[in-house]
Amino acid sequence: MPPRRSSGAPVPTGGDTPDGVYQRIYDSILERRLPPGTKLPEEKLAAIFGVSRARIRKVLAQLEHDRIVEVFHNRGAFVSQPGVEESQHTLEARRIIEPAIVQTLAELRRPADVAALRQHIACEYAAIEQNDKSTIVRLSVEFHNVAAELAGNTLLVRTVRELTVLTSLIILLYDAPTASACLPDDHVLLTDAIEQGDSTAAAEIMLRHLKDVETSLVFEKSETEVDLTSIFG
């Protein structure tokens, strides 16, 4: 299993990155602060993070492997920009995979799983109370990663993690103001269904939850300029 944050959510792992550069970039994308198409110059990132360009190159290679970043010869690295078809396929994959995950958790009906999910939800509500928008978004996304981890299939953990961060890019790219974050209330309903062992209800809630995100999307690209120093500095 991947290591956990103090909130109970899994920490992204990006190979040999003890300085946290991978995680900082990953979190900025997950929190929707780093838009699709943003150029990630090695030299500038090395200066911002105070590491060598070789370390940055290694992190970017891992991010490319995870489909979060695209690297082009003679152009450099850019935050991925999922096209309309790829976006639709990403959301379709989530609709297939994630209802099955919560269905499995409901069938297992383990108190420890329910406790972990409720701990995560408590962190979500705490972030809302503090109006910490970046944390609200990150935790709402990571709830899905935690559920996948609890189901115990390491391949699904990696797949869901990839799909959730791509969804963050999709939401930023296709301007979905009503899809800024999952509602913790839905996460409560999901956890209740899991605790009750109601696998059918859990799957139905997750499916509706994901469809709500998809129906809020507008598949027209929006242009946003970003200052890397202000994001990571």
Side-chain angles (χ1 to χ4, degrees):
M1 287 188 181
R4 289 181 174 273
R5 299 179 191 274
S6 58
S7 67
V11 175
T13 54
D16 181 19
T17 56
D19 52 23
V21 176
Y22 178 100
Q23 185 177 326
R24 292 277 301 279
I25 296 174
Y26 176 93
D27 283 351
S28 294
I29 293 172
L30 204 66
E31 294 168 0
R32 301 171 197 163
R33 295 185 292 115
L34 194 58
T38 302
K39 188 169 185 178
L40 301 172
E42 289 181 10
E43 186 173 359
K44 186 166 187 176
L45 289 174
I48 290 170
F49 291 114
V51 299
S52 67
R53 289 186 65 176
R55 172 57 61 84
I56 294 297
R57 200 171 299 120
K58 185 172 185 177
V59 170
L60 292 175
Q62 182 64 41
L63 288 163
E64 181 184 27
H65 179 267
D66 294 341
R67 298 177 61 207
I68 300 169
V69 162
E70 296 175 289
V71 179
F72 301 95
H73 182 61
N74 292 331
R75 289 182 56 206
F78 297 80
V79 178
S80 294
Q81 290 185 284
V84 171
E85 185 177 25
E86 181 182 0
S87 298
Q88 292 170 337
H89 288 171
T90 296
L91 298 167
E92 179 184 15
R94 292 191 67 180
R95 292 198 309 271
I96 294 169
I97 293 170
E98 294 192 58
I101 286 173
V102 294
Q103 190 170 25
T104 296
L105 291 177
E107 290 168 354
L108 293 171
R109 202 179 181 184
R110 295 179 299 210
D113 294 346
V114 173
L117 293 173
R118 294 209 186 280
Q119 178 190 4
H120 189 94
I121 292 168
C123 293
E124 290 186 67
Y125 280 114
I128 291 171
E129 187 176 342
Q130 296 165 11
N131 197 31
D132 185 346
K133 294 180 181 179
S134 294
T135 302
I136 291 168
V137 172
R138 175 172 55 77
L139 290 175
S140 72
V141 174
E142 287 182 339
F143 176 89
H144 297 260
N145 297 344
V146 172
E149 181 185 356
L150 292 172
N153 186 317
T154 55
L155 290 178
L156 282 181
V157 172
R158 181 179 179 85
T159 299
V160 171
R161 178 174 165 268
E162 181 178 295
L163 293 172
T164 53
V165 75
L166 282 173
T167 301
S168 288
L169 290 172
I170 290 164
I171 289 171
L172 264 177
L173 188 60
Y174 296 105
D175 190 23
T178 61
S180 58
C182 299
L183 294 174
D185 292 353
D186 280 351
H187 296 167
V188 172
L189 292 175
L190 275 166
T191 304
D192 288 345
I194 290 168
E195 184 173 34
Q196 293 160 12
D198 192 337
S199 58
T200 300
E204 288 175 351
I205 293 166
M206 178 62 83
L207 184 60
R208 189 262 305 160
H209 185 66
L210 295 171
K211 282 183 175 179
D212 285 348
V213 173
E214 185 169 5
T215 56
S216 70
L217 296 173
V218 179
F219 285 107
E220 296 176 1
K221 292 183 181 180
S222 58
E223 300 295 332
T224 306
E225 292 188 7
V226 297
D227 180 354
L228 292 178
T229 303
S230 67
I231 291 175
F232 297 122

